[in-house]
Each structure stands twice: as C-alpha cells, then as structure tokens.
Amino acid sequence: MVTAIIGGSFGDEGKGKMTDLLAAKADIVVRFQGGANAGHTVINDYGKFVLHILPSGVFYRHTENIIASSAAFDSDEFFRELQILKDNGVPAPAIKISSRAQLLLPIHKMQDTLEEQRLGKNSFGSTESGIAPFYSDKYAKRNFQISELFSDDLSDKLKRFCNDKNKFFGAFYGIQNPLSERDLKEYLTEVKDKLAPYIFDCPHYLNSAVKSGKNILLEGQLGALRDVDNGIYPFVTSSSPLAGFGSVSTGIPPYEIRSVIAIIKAYSTCVGAGAFVGELSGSVAEELRKRGGDSGEYGAKTGRPRRMAWFDCVSARYGCMLQGATEAVLTMLDVLGYLDKIPVCVGYKINGEVTEEFPETYLLDNAEPVYEYLNGWKCDISGIKDFSELPEEARAYVEFIENKIAVPITMISNGPKRSQIIYRKSACI
Ligand code: GDP
C-alpha cells in the first residue's frame, strides 16, 4: 500500500507531526521532493526536532527512510541533521539515498543568496537553501547525479560546471572564479566516500517493495500552491510538491499511490512573496500568529514571521484537487479556541465577480476575500480525543470546511503532540 502525505495549501500545515504519526505504521518513509528549504517540526519523546532533509520516519526503529531521486540532496545538511539526532539520543536510523538523486552544492546556496540580493525588493523571499539554482542546473543538465561520482572520469563534467558557473557569477554578481575544478573535485570525492554506505537503486528497490506489499509513505514538502506549474508561479518552489510527483521521484507506478492524505490547517499562513488573498494585518494577524503552531507561526527554517489569513476554502479546495486528495487532515483546530466568530473565506471577488475557483496568479492581486462567519467555541479543545466530544461549534467548523473542500476530513489535530489527534473515519489508520 502506498500512501502520500502532502500539503493541501501553501505549506507549514503541520505535515511533520502527521507524517511522524503515520510513520508508526509504515515500513518505508520516502522524502520525494525539494531540499533542505522547508522544515518539518516533529515533537516526540526524544525532544523537538525540525527536519529539513531527513524523512520523518527517522525516529522509528522499524522504519526505513529513503531520499528519492527528485530530491535536492544537500549532503552537508544531511550529515548535520544526522548529528543532531545522535546528539539527542535518537538511535541511528536506517537511511537510503537514491543514486539518482542530484547533489545540491555550496555554490547553489551562495547563488541563491546573491540572487535574492540582486533582486532586491523584487526578491522571492527564498530560504536561500540553493533550491532554484540547483533545479536550474539540473534541468540544464550540468549538475551532478550522485551516481556520476562513481564514474571513472568526471573531468569533462567538472570543467563544464566550473566554466559555466564562473562565467555566470562574473557576469551577474561581479564575482570572479568562485569555483575551481580542483576544489570541487576534492569536495565531490569527500561526499562520494561519505555517501557510499547510503546509496541504493531507488526505482528497482521501491518497485520490489510495492510488489511485496510493504507499507510505503511518500512524504511531501511545502504545499500544493507552491507547485511550479499549478501553483502561484513565479512565487513557487522549483519542483512539484504534488502527490503525483512522488511517482516520478520514486519510479513507483502512479496507480500504486492509492491513498493521498492532504494536510490543511484551520487557518492559513504563507511565507515568502506573492499574492495572499485575505492577508491579515495589525493586531488580528499578530494574535493569530502568536497563538499558532506550538510556539507561534514563525518559519521553521528562517524564523521569519509567517503571513496570516483565515481559512481559505478557495485555495484549499484547489490544493486538494491538485493533490488528488482522497482524505484530509485538519490541523491546529485548537488554535482557534479564542474567537467569538471565525471568518472563513468562501470566495474571491475579482473585478466585481465572485468565484469559488482559484484563478491564475495575475488575477490574485485584484482578488478580495468573501467571508462567512462561523460561531467560535471559546474553550480549550486540546485534550479531546473523540469527535463527538468536541463543542458543537467546532464540529460545525470541521463539517463546513469538509463540505467546501469536497474531501472527507478523517483526522483532526488538536495540539502539537502525537497523542493530540481525533480520528473520524480514516482509511489509513
Ligand atoms: P510542516 O512543514 O507542514 O510540518 O509544518 P511546521 O513544521 O511548520 O509545523 C507546524 C507547527 O505546528 C509545528 O510547530 C508543530 O509542532 C505544530 N503543530 C502541528 N500540529 C498542531 C496542532 O494541531 N495544533 C497546534 N497547536 N500545533 C500543531
């Protein structure tokens, strides 16, 4: 059985906690996309961890953790995170890295930072983890697949990579020759030796695992609205956070992904630039931001305050549709317990017309949110385990959203801890 757990909105929906929870039943957890640019927060008996590149199954002894072929593999970050686990007493996890994954290099991070500086007020709000330069080099076919490090002669590739990058850095940033073939060769040789014990043939291995009935969890990063094609381009990531991309990255047939669990949260947040319909400001935003998550809505990677809005049915329904969600998890419901009335965005008014369909990016700048106001429950629901024990208003809130996004909400997260979860009718647990 292959299940994908992915973000239904703009990211930061609480995927880390839910993946950690679902990983308890998984034989294999696969990180299929992106790099060390986002952070999944996991709180468990070992402490609080923010995983940027490691799959969320690393806390379980029975789980194999895989970084699949389409990930932007940052070797330095990978070993840094492994060390953090070790320092906190987490037993060494079983990890495999696809030989077809490509290396995100220090020069990609440097380029990301310089490019954001160059763009100035038009910057994308990148986490400066090197993702866009990495994927640019990958699709220009000049970057390094891990398997290539094991080939006999890399010299032509090294020469082209260094020439191209040096020319680019000189022309764009006025930095002359930041890369030397010798230094890069040395770095890659070191990486190759360190990675050798982890490397495996991802597509064959995972196809066998599917055939033998293993329980496989594909773990997404970011959210549907950041998809490079279907999201709010150009304010998107440089790959696809959609469940379907899990098939591309792993080599598993698309029809094997039977269950797609979209994570959405009870209000909306967004990091980085781009239109964000219904963005709150002032004390209303600050109050929600302060109460959100386990310690406020601040970027897991950057610490930046997240942009805040009420739940947005328009973007969430679109996000769930793109993901092909078979069910949804509503997280952070506990956060809204302070409100008398809870606004929910049910439509966008664009040039005088109200639509419930998420439009192309250029129309978002003129979109105004249309709200319905639901009753708040005004109490702490974080200890509740059973849906029927939730206050009537909280149940009505869940059912309202479920109806609007047209996907069954099978689980409700009402706190950051593993135990703070309400099951309704999930096919997966
Ligand atoms: P991810 O990237 O989707 O994993 O999201 P984050 O790492 O930004 O996680 C969101 C934050 O909310 C983390 O600090 C989690 O510990 C916390 N969190 C997850 N689920 C809940 C929940 O249901 N309620 C509250 N209050 N916090 C939660």
Side-chain angles (χ1 to χ4, degrees):
M1 167 85 170
V2 184
T3 300
I5 181 160
I6 37 64
S9 309
F10 290 89
D12 306 315
E13 300 96 344
K15 291 181 296 297
K17 167 188 162 170
M18 291 311 303
T19 313
D20 179 52
L21 198 72
L22 293 173
K25 291 230 166 168
D27 301 306
I28 302 175
V29 177
V30 184
R31 177 72 186 274
F32 66 85
Q33 167 258 338
N37 47 329
H40 283 175
T41 311
V42 176
I43 301 176
N44 56 32
D45 297 343
Y46 296 106
K48 178 175 172 179
F49 300 87
V50 183
L51 301 176
H52 297 293
I53 186 79
L54 292 177
S56 299
V58 288
F59 301 103
Y60 294 102
R61 280 168 183 245
H62 66 276
T63 308
E64 233 176 5
N65 294 277
I66 286 178
I67 298 176
S69 307
S70 303
F73 184 74
D74 180 339
S75 168
D76 299 339
E77 182 68 20
F78 171 77
F79 286 108
R80 195 186 68 79
E81 280 184 22
L82 270 188
Q83 189 59 44
I84 292 175
L85 298 196
K86 196 172 172 194
D87 293 346
N88 285 279
V90 180
I95 301 185
K96 288 183 157 58
I97 301 164
S98 172
S99 56
R100 294 172 190 274
Q102 299 210 4
L103 283 175
L104 187 144
L105 300 166
I107 193 83
H108 292 131
K109 291 189 252 193
M110 184 176 167
Q111 186 177 336
D112 206 353
T113 303
L114 290 167
E115 184 63 10
E116 286 287 284
Q117 286 166 6
R118 188 181 74 89
L119 291 172
K121 67 175 178 33
N122 295 320
S123 72
F124 291 100
S126 159
T127 57
E128 299 179 15
S129 310
I131 306 298
F134 163 86
Y135 280 108
S136 308
D137 283 345
K138 172 173 170 168
Y139 290 112
K141 292 173 276 192
R142 67 166 73 86
N143 201 48
F144 297 90
Q145 192 175 81
I146 294 174
S147 67
E148 286 180 287
L149 308 186
F150 295 85
S151 72
D152 291 337
D153 187 6
L154 257 188
S155 51
D156 285 351
K157 189 96 196 255
L158 278 168
K159 194 178 268 110
R160 181 191 165 201
F161 188 84
C162 292
N163 272 342
D164 288 3
K165 292 311 253 186
N166 285 339
K167 273 195 188 134
F168 186 85
F169 271 68
F172 263 66
Y173 312 123
I175 296 177
Q176 304 309 321
N177 302 323
L179 269 183
S180 83
E181 277 172 55
R182 214 183 63 186
D183 291 351
L184 184 57
K185 189 173 177 191
E186 213 174 281
Y187 177 82
L188 293 178
T189 307
E190 201 181 299
V191 166
K192 171 188 150 187
D193 293 343
K194 280 165 81 178
L195 290 184
Y198 298 95
I199 300 311
F200 81 122
D201 177 342
C202 181
H204 286 110
Y205 186 87
L206 282 179
N207 273 275
S208 302
V210 170
K211 286 210 176 78
S212 62
K214 294 264 194 224
N215 208 347
I216 300 171
L217 192 60
L218 305 180
E219 174 186 20
Q221 182 230 30
L222 305 173
L225 277 298
R226 299 295 184 189
D227 178 58
V228 66
D229 294 311
N230 302 287
I232 53 167
Y233 187 86
F235 304 103
V236 290
T237 193
S238 304
S239 66
S240 173
L242 301 184
F245 196 61
S247 160
V248 176
S249 180
T250 55
I252 291 175
Y255 53 77
E256 291 291 353
I257 308 174
R258 305 282 164 81
S259 169
V260 178
I261 306 177
I263 313 297
I264 50 173
K265 66 179 164 189
Y267 50 91
S268 306
T269 62
C270 161
V271 282
F276 185 41
V277 177
E279 181 169 7
L280 301 171
S281 58
S283 57
V284 178
E286 196 42 51
E287 177 85 50
L288 184 57
R289 182 179 297 118
K290 200 177 70 197
R291 289 172 178 270
D294 75 308
S295 50
E297 289 287 356
Y298 301 92
K301 175 84 185 172
T302 58
R304 288 184 293 203
R306 290 180 180 149
R307 301 164 70 191
M308 309 298 298
W310 302 117
F311 188 83
D312 178 355
C313 298
V314 181
S315 60
R317 183 174 45 246
Y318 179 63
C320 287
M321 180 186 84
L322 294 177
Q323 294 288 13
T326 55
E327 56 184 288
V329 181
L330 186 68
T331 65
M332 324 269 181
L333 191 64
D334 52 301
V335 169
L336 300 182
Y338 68 104
L339 294 155
D340 290 321
K341 287 275 180 193
I342 311 177
V344 177
C345 172
V346 293
Y348 292 173
K349 193 170 185 185
I350 303 171
N351 302 328
E353 302 234 343
V354 175
T355 178
E356 293 187 355
E357 288 198 354
F358 194 80
E360 289 91 344
T361 312
Y362 78 99
L363 290 167
L364 290 173
D365 287 329
N366 294 328
E368 286 166 33
V370 177
Y371 292 117
E372 279 193 34
Y373 294 84
L374 305 196
N375 290 327
W377 44 94
K378 297 286 285 184
C379 64
D380 177 11
I381 58 162
S382 59
I384 293 177
K385 300 258 178 258
D386 198 298
F387 188 68
S388 63
E389 285 167 18
L390 282 175
E392 194 186 331
E393 296 82 357
R395 277 184 278 133
Y397 188 80
V398 175
E399 282 160 1
F400 183 87
I401 288 176
E402 182 175 52
N403 190 28
K404 288 288 182 191
I405 62 170
V407 177
I409 294 177
T410 56
M411 292 171 259
I412 295 149
S413 173
N414 55 343
K417 298 204 188 104
R418 266 183 194 164
S419 57
Q420 291 172 306
I421 187 87
I422 296 171
Y423 296 107
R424 282 177 87 202
K425 48 199 169 191
S426 174
C428 298
I429 290 208

Short mmCIF file of all heavy atoms in Angstrom, two decimals, residues 144 148-158 185:
data_model
loop_
_atom_site.label_atom_id
_atom_site.label_comp_id
_atom_site.label_asym_id
_atom_site.label_seq_id
_atom_site.Cartn_x
_atom_site.Cartn_y
_atom_site.Cartn_z
N PHE A 144 25.30 17.39 -10.93
CA PHE A 144 25.86 16.07 -10.65
C PHE A 144 24.84 15.14 -10.01
O PHE A 144 24.35 15.40 -8.91
CB PHE A 144 27.07 16.19 -9.71
CG PHE A 144 28.18 16.97 -10.33
CD1 PHE A 144 28.25 18.35 -10.17
CD2 PHE A 144 29.15 16.33 -11.10
CE1 PHE A 144 29.27 19.08 -10.74
CE2 PHE A 144 30.18 17.06 -11.70
CZ PHE A 144 30.24 18.44 -11.52
N GLU A 148 26.95 9.64 -10.70
CA GLU A 148 28.06 10.08 -11.55
C GLU A 148 29.38 10.18 -10.79
O GLU A 148 30.45 10.09 -11.38
CB GLU A 148 27.76 11.46 -12.15
CG GLU A 148 26.73 11.44 -13.26
CD GLU A 148 26.49 12.84 -13.80
OE1 GLU A 148 25.84 13.64 -13.09
OE2 GLU A 148 26.94 13.14 -14.89
N LEU A 149 29.27 10.38 -9.48
CA LEU A 149 30.50 10.50 -8.69
C LEU A 149 31.30 9.19 -8.73
O LEU A 149 32.48 9.16 -8.44
CB LEU A 149 30.21 10.86 -7.23
CG LEU A 149 29.32 12.08 -6.98
CD1 LEU A 149 29.25 12.38 -5.49
CD2 LEU A 149 29.85 13.30 -7.72
N PHE A 150 30.58 8.10 -9.07
CA PHE A 150 31.24 6.79 -9.08
C PHE A 150 31.77 6.44 -10.48
O PHE A 150 32.29 5.36 -10.68
CB PHE A 150 30.27 5.71 -8.57
CG PHE A 150 29.89 5.92 -7.13
CD1 PHE A 150 28.86 6.78 -6.77
CD2 PHE A 150 30.60 5.29 -6.12
CE1 PHE A 150 28.54 7.00 -5.45
CE2 PHE A 150 30.29 5.50 -4.78
CZ PHE A 150 29.25 6.37 -4.44
N SER A 151 31.61 7.35 -11.43
CA SER A 151 32.11 7.05 -12.78
C SER A 151 33.63 7.27 -12.82
O SER A 151 34.19 7.96 -11.97
CB SER A 151 31.41 7.92 -13.82
OG SER A 151 31.86 9.24 -13.71
N ASP A 152 34.27 6.71 -13.86
CA ASP A 152 35.74 6.72 -13.91
C ASP A 152 36.32 8.11 -14.09
O ASP A 152 37.34 8.46 -13.50
CB ASP A 152 36.24 5.83 -15.06
CG ASP A 152 35.95 4.37 -14.75
OD1 ASP A 152 35.81 4.07 -13.54
OD2 ASP A 152 35.84 3.57 -15.70
N ASP A 153 35.66 8.89 -14.94
CA ASP A 153 36.26 10.18 -15.27
C ASP A 153 35.21 11.28 -15.28
O ASP A 153 34.32 11.31 -16.12
CB ASP A 153 36.92 10.06 -16.66
CG ASP A 153 37.71 11.32 -16.97
OD1 ASP A 153 37.82 12.19 -16.07
OD2 ASP A 153 38.20 11.44 -18.11
N LEU A 154 35.35 12.16 -14.34
CA LEU A 154 34.39 13.27 -14.22
C LEU A 154 34.94 14.56 -14.81
O LEU A 154 34.29 15.61 -14.69
CB LEU A 154 34.13 13.52 -12.73
CG LEU A 154 32.83 13.03 -12.08
CD1 LEU A 154 32.74 13.57 -10.67
CD2 LEU A 154 31.61 13.46 -12.89
N SER A 155 36.14 14.49 -15.40
CA SER A 155 36.84 15.76 -15.67
C SER A 155 36.10 16.69 -16.64
O SER A 155 36.05 17.90 -16.42
CB SER A 155 38.28 15.51 -16.13
OG SER A 155 38.27 14.58 -17.16
N ASP A 156 35.46 16.12 -17.70
CA ASP A 156 34.73 17.00 -18.64
C ASP A 156 33.58 17.70 -17.95
O ASP A 156 33.33 18.89 -18.14
CB ASP A 156 34.18 16.17 -19.82
CG ASP A 156 35.29 15.79 -20.78
OD1 ASP A 156 36.41 16.32 -20.61
OD2 ASP A 156 35.04 14.97 -21.67
N LYS A 157 32.90 16.93 -17.13
CA LYS A 157 31.73 17.48 -16.42
C LYS A 157 32.17 18.57 -15.44
O LYS A 157 31.54 19.63 -15.36
CB LYS A 157 31.08 16.31 -15.66
CG LYS A 157 29.75 16.61 -15.05
CD LYS A 157 28.61 16.16 -15.96
CE LYS A 157 27.31 16.80 -15.53
NZ LYS A 157 26.43 15.91 -14.86
N LEU A 158 33.26 18.31 -14.75
CA LEU A 158 33.78 19.30 -13.79
C LEU A 158 34.15 20.59 -14.51
O LEU A 158 33.84 21.69 -14.05
CB LEU A 158 35.03 18.76 -13.09
CG LEU A 158 34.80 17.83 -11.91
CD1 LEU A 158 36.10 17.14 -11.52
CD2 LEU A 158 34.24 18.60 -10.72
N LYS A 185 36.40 19.01 -7.19
CA LYS A 185 36.72 17.58 -7.28
C LYS A 185 36.96 17.01 -5.87
O LYS A 185 36.48 15.92 -5.52
CB LYS A 185 37.96 17.38 -8.16
CG LYS A 185 38.20 15.92 -8.47
CD LYS A 185 39.31 15.77 -9.46
CE LYS A 185 39.54 14.28 -9.68
NZ LYS A 185 40.74 14.01 -10.40
#
